[in-house]
Every structure is written in C-alpha cells, then in structure tokens.
Amino acid sequence: MLDRLGWCWRLLATGLCFASFGLGGLLLWALVFPAVWLLIREPARRARVSRRIIHLTFRCFVGLMRGLGVLTYEVHGLERLNRPGLLILANHPSLIDVVFLISFTPLADCVVKAALLHNPFTRGPVLAAGFIFNNAGPPMLSDCIASVQSGSHLIIFPEGTRSTPGAPLALQRGAANVAVRGRIPITPVVITCDPSTLTKGEPWWRVPPKRPHFCLVVREDLPTDKLIEGCTSDALAARRLTDYLSDYFTSETRRDC
C-alpha cells in the first residue's frame, strides 16, 4: 500500500514539475527576457546574463524535483567544470539531462534542436541565450568552436537524441568534428539513471515503480590531439574520435556511480 501511495504521489508531483517548467518558460519569455533585451544592448553580454538566468532557473527546478520526491541525484567531479572554455560531451539517457547539466554550469552554451523554436515553452530561453541550433549547416561548426574559444562551456550530446535503454549508443560525428577542427580537449560527463525514466518516446506519466536516481560524473579530460594522432585528414580523425567516444561512453555507463 505504501509503495502504491508513493507511486501516486510521484505521478502527481511529476505532473506538477512539468507544468511548472512550462509555466516558467512562458514567464521568462513574456516578462524576464524582454526586460533583459531592453536593459542590455550589447549582444554578448545579453546572452551571458540570459544564460545565467536559465542556469539559476534550472537549478531551482532540479531542487523542486528532488524536494517533491520525484527523483534523487548525485554529482561527482563538479570542480572540473570550474574552468573556462570547455567542450562538454555527455550521453543522453533522459529528457532532463540538459536541465541537470545547465543547472551545474553557470554560463553554458548548447547545441539544441531547431524544433525548440516552435515550442512556446522553450522558444524564449533558447533565443535569449543565443544557443546554437543544429540546423545551422556549415556555420554551426564555426559557431561551436568560437563558443568554446570565447570561454563558454559548450554542451553537446553526441547521440543527437535520447538513447534507447539496452540498445548500443549511436553517436553522430558533429561533436567529434568540433573537437577535431578546433583541436579542443573533451570534458566528458557520464550520466546514468536507475531506473530509467523519460527515455525516448516515453510519456511523462509513465512513472517508474521506484524513484529514479540520477548520477552525473564529470570525468578527466580526453586529449583530442592524442586520440587522433596519425590521422591524415579531419574527416578520418572525426570518424576515429566518434568510434572512440562510442566505446568510451558505452563502457563508462556500465560502471558503478
């Protein structure tokens, strides 16, 4: 009986969290970010302020989810994010992975899906923060490299979408191309969730039988130059690095948190 009551509460609390997230996005778009645009004219500074606001909002949202008993979490190696100009690559088991990462990264930049522009709950934040859209074509690569070189923390999920539980990780080459062409070391973040929740195609109301526990581990940097040593072209280097990252994240997600 207690387990059933706990599940019912988490279902209700999960719905409340999703409603809060949507309402928060609308309020930011309608009230907060217009004020930022009026008060700050310089685009780069405006983007930094907007990213800081999103960071604080997401930190509050993570606290809300934990406070309501929707989930628990732990983070290891967070001090490794206290450096400027990082290329942060993470696996993507759940819908809220990006919420966790941005909540712990004050000036995060992100590569996001262009579809977020058509979502009224996310359009305001992604525009105000100046995030990079994945449909930008060839300029996207230059924008990503410039973001890291400017001191931002660029977050990319190399899978491009959420992973399917039990299926092999399928990484795209975009993240590897950024690392290769910019000669940028990689800061990997390994995310695990037990039991799995909010996976690809899973509706929010399909709450797992027990409270999910998220574990985020910021690992030691991966030296891009060493990993692609001997490659005769950037295309070959990106292919090798993508294969390495696929094996790396597959192995790391099987380790205990």
Side-chain angles (χ1 to χ4, degrees):
M1 176 63 73
L2 290 177
D3 289 343
R4 182 62 180 176
L5 288 174
W7 182 89
C8 290
W9 166 251
R10 285 189 291 107
L11 176 62
L12 177 63
T14 300
L16 177 62
C17 287
F18 268 82
S20 300
F21 188 88
L23 179 61
L26 287 175
L27 290 175
L28 288 175
W29 175 238
L31 300 176
V32 178
F33 292 132
V36 172
W37 276 78
L38 287 173
L39 296 173
I40 303 175
R41 295 298 182 180
E42 201 271 308
R45 182 166 174 263
R46 188 167 58 214
R48 288 194 298 270
V49 170
S50 298
R51 291 172 188 176
R52 178 74 68 170
I53 292 171
I54 294 171
H55 158 71
L56 294 174
T57 303
F58 280 11
R59 195 66 179 265
C60 291
F61 183 70
V62 168
L64 175 67
M65 290 189 292
R66 183 168 65 175
L68 291 176
V70 170
L71 52 79
T72 58
Y73 71 87
E74 58 185 298
V75 184
H76 302 277
L78 191 59
E79 70 280 356
R80 296 191 179 109
L81 299 182
N82 295 328
R83 300 169 292 158
L86 299 178
L87 174 59
I88 301 172
L89 303 188
N91 61 308
H92 198 4
S94 171
L95 177 65
I96 55 176
D97 300 329
V98 68
V99 176
F100 274 111
L101 285 176
I102 292 179
S103 73
F104 295 115
T105 311
L107 293 177
D109 195 0
C110 297
V111 175
V112 298
K113 293 182 178 180
L116 294 181
L117 278 174
H118 307 295
N119 185 326
F121 303 113
T122 57
R123 177 180 173 85
V126 298
L127 283 176
F131 289 157
I132 301 168
F133 295 103
N134 64 357
N135 68 342
M140 184 184 75
L141 185 58
S142 299
D143 291 343
C144 288
I145 295 171
S147 176
V148 177
Q149 291 176 344
S150 71
S152 296
H153 296 163
L154 180 64
I155 298 172
I156 303 179
F157 296 102
E159 296 167 85
T161 186
R162 281 169 281 170
S163 52
T164 302
L169 296 183
L171 272 60
Q172 301 178 13
R173 292 181 190 168
N177 270 309
V178 175
V180 168
R181 298 179 190 275
R183 292 300 190 266
I184 304 168
I186 294 166
T187 302
V189 179
V190 180
I191 305 173
T192 56
C193 177
D194 182 36
S196 64
T197 186
L198 298 174
T199 57
K200 188 175 182 179
E202 184 178 33
W204 69 264
W205 60 84
R206 192 171 295 166
V207 176
K210 67 175 185 177
R211 185 167 48 181
H213 179 72
F214 283 80
C215 180
L216 291 82
V217 183
V218 185
R219 299 289 187 192
E220 295 282 353
D221 285 358
L222 301 176
T224 298
D225 284 339
K226 290 184 178 179
L227 295 175
I228 63 174
E229 193 172 17
C231 291
T232 55
S233 69
D234 286 346
L236 178 60
R239 190 178 306 121
R240 178 191 290 183
L241 186 55
T242 300
D243 291 341
Y244 177 87
L245 291 171
S246 179
D247 293 339
Y248 177 88
F249 280 110
T250 298
S251 173
E252 292 296 316
T253 53
R254 292 172 179 166
R255 293 174 55 178
D256 291 335
C257 186

